[in-house]
Amino acid sequence: MSAKRITSIAILTAVALTIFIAEAQIPVLIAVPGIKLGLSNIITIVAAYLLSRRDAGIIMMLRVFLGSVFGGSMLAFFYSAAGGICAFAVICLLYKIFDEKQIWAVSVFAAIAHNLAQLVIAVAIMNSPAIIWYAPWLVIAAVVTGAFTGVAAQLSLGRLKNLNVK
Amino acid sequence: MKSISNLKLIVIFAALILASAASILIMTERRQDALIAEIYSEGKLLYTIDLNKVTESYTIELPHNTVLVEHGQISMKCADCPDQVCVRQGKIKNGAYPIVCLPNRVEIRITNKAGVDAVTGR
Ligand SMILES: [Zn+2]
């Protein structure tokens, strides 16, 4: 592992954690239990395109683990782990289909995966299948936040590439 | 693999939003004849209330939450949870979106189960 790679992973993990913790302060717009918007998944996408998918996975797991150490309960850990892992899986699948000019779309699909994974966790924890009716709310939220953060990531990735981070 | 144009993607996402919005509308506007509210705490059913038989509104005090019971509707009046999601959800009038307080593990559901010995008082 080169020093450059370790540094890149550390910096991106720090950014992901910052977003993750800041996100906890954002009031949830819709009444869905325990579910967060998953804005920090955007760092997983940036890492996948800037470094590699393996490094993106490392950063995602570090963020989930450290995030629950800093500010979370066991429940919060399950939510962010499920959301983070499913978003990562989708990113890995779509990496080959979409190039850097369509990161915004990858971000939307990742956000949908993230939100629906959290919904499944909510159904399991609350033991209430009716919660599944929140899926349309979460799909709308995912498309909006995913597109917004995706465009932001796409723009910043262009700048980061110019800095020759890799 | 062949790439998908941005335009196609936008159409796909717009269709997703429209379909979601339509299903939400159908869910929240749905009328329900029987209104049996169930209040759960820690997964245990504590109260069963027939909301159609409620004449005067009253509150139910749980350790961390206060439930407001009214004729035909029910809501979380206040709670000590940090997110206040349950309180912000407001009143529910059908079974579509139960009120859930995840931090306190409290849930209010409306069912249409007939034949339940529903209590109307406190
Ligand atoms: Zn609450």
Side-chain angles (χ1 to χ4, degrees), chain A residues 83-116:
Chain A
I85 290 167
C86 287
F88 176 66
V90 166
I91 293 162
C92 288
L93 281 172
L94 297 180
Y95 180 83
K96 294 256 164 172
I97 304 170
F98 296 109
D99 65 6
E100 284 162 29
K101 292 200 169 72
Q102 288 187 313
I103 284 177
W104 71 273
V106 177
S107 173
V108 171
F109 286 116
I112 293 172
H114 172 272
N115 285 5
L116 294 184

Side-chain angles (χ1 to χ4, degrees), chain A residues 119 123 127-135, chain B residues 27 95-98 107 109:
Chain A
L119 188 66
V123 168
N127 191 23
S128 167
I131 295 177
I132 211 75
W133 289 112
Y134 284 112
Chain B
M27 289 306 292
Y97 297 110
E107 184 176 354
R109 285 183 217 174

